[in-house]
Amino acid sequence: MIIKKIIDLTMPITAQTPVYPGDPKPKIEPAATFAQDGYHVSRLVLGSHSGTHIDAPFHFCEHGWRLDDVPLTYFLGRGIVIDATGKAEGEAVTMADAAPYIPKLSPGTIVLFHTGWSQYAGTKRYFHHPYVAPDVIEAMLERGVRTFFIDALNIDPPDGSSFRAHELILGANGVIGENFANFDQIDFDDPYIIALPLSLPGCDGSPVRAVAVQWA
């Protein structure tokens, strides 16, 4: 196979990258410079959920899989983009939105909730995103889906009133990806999604570099 197109789905990590309230803010600074040391090295201070990232089950489940327990197959596979654009601040993605896509889902499918909210990254509105209703998650879990990505800060309500989607997905030893970007650029069917985490044994999550690939 030949790669026909590749779309970067990753939010850049900088000091301005939005983080969930209370999470560590990214800090990137020189640790060595060419002028002083003859080479460059940077010091990175990040949370495990900085930028485009994966939540491992251990994030919400004390006895859930840690990052290194999750099969790498969870982080790559055929994607289905759920069109949830047009949602208002704090509005749910409902079964009415998801129903046309449910029959297409099967074990190994990676679900991409396209809210369009990544366009607001760096603004206050980014923190008032849409979310996914629990019954949508339940229906997808029943189809065998275990990988759920969203182009927003959080898959659950922005006011922190509930973390039911996290509880359902991570409780089933699934994974969640948040702060994805550029879902609008996936203009082809059956994108192959790759979003591999760092190798962080025992950890609850990790930043990822995520792409959508179109094969010729």
Side-chain angles (χ1 to χ4, degrees):
M1 291 188 294
I2 299 174
I3 294 176
K4 184 176 181 180
K5 183 183 290 188
I6 186 166
I7 307 298
D8 192 349
L9 307 179
T10 316
M11 177 183 293
I13 296 179
T14 69
Q16 288 73 47
T17 298
V19 299
Y20 190 82
D23 279 9
K25 294 183 178 180
K27 184 178 182 181
I28 303 172
E29 60 186 11
T33 65
F34 191 84
Q36 292 187 354
D37 307 287
Y39 55 88
H40 290 287
V41 174
S42 298
R43 179 180 296 108
L44 312 180
V45 179
L46 304 172
S48 54
H49 303 266
S50 293
T52 304
H53 67 272
I54 292 292
D55 296 353
F58 185 61
H59 180 43
F60 261 69
C61 304
E62 184 65 23
H63 301 291
W65 282 345
R66 299 181 186 230
L67 188 62
D68 51 320
D69 296 318
V70 181
L72 288 177
T73 53
Y74 279 39
F75 305 118
L76 65 171
R78 171 178 166 267
I80 293 288
V81 180
I82 309 296
D83 185 0
T85 54
K87 292 292 178 179
E89 296 181 5
E91 186 178 359
V93 178
T94 67
M95 276 300 297
D97 302 309
Y101 305 93
I102 297 292
K104 303 176 183 179
L105 305 181
S106 59
T109 302
I110 295 177
V111 169
L112 312 174
F113 291 105
H114 178 204
T115 68
W117 226 252
S118 61
Q119 67 182 303
Y120 302 118
T123 73
K124 291 183 179 180
R125 193 177 188 193
Y126 191 65
F127 294 87
H128 302 281
H129 50 80
Y131 67 99
V132 182
D135 60 339
V136 173
I137 299 299
E138 290 173 334
M140 293 181 173
L141 287 170
E142 289 176 1
R143 298 285 298 187
V145 176
R146 291 296 181 271
T147 306
F148 301 80
F149 296 162
I150 191 168
D151 60 346
L153 184 70
N154 186 2
I155 200 169
D156 276 308
D159 61 3
S161 59
S162 169
F163 293 96
R164 188 60 182 149
H166 277 80
E167 292 165 353
L168 288 167
I169 296 167
L170 303 182
N173 275 334
V175 295
I176 298 168
E178 295 161 323
N179 286 329
F180 279 67
N182 300 327
F183 284 175
D184 61 307
Q185 295 184 27
I186 304 175
D187 57 358
F188 47 91
D189 294 330
D190 297 321
Y192 190 81
I193 307 300
I194 304 171
L196 293 170
L198 300 174
S199 182
L200 298 171
C203 203
D204 51 84
S206 169
V208 300
R209 185 65 182 266
V211 297
V213 179
Q214 182 184 26
W215 301 103

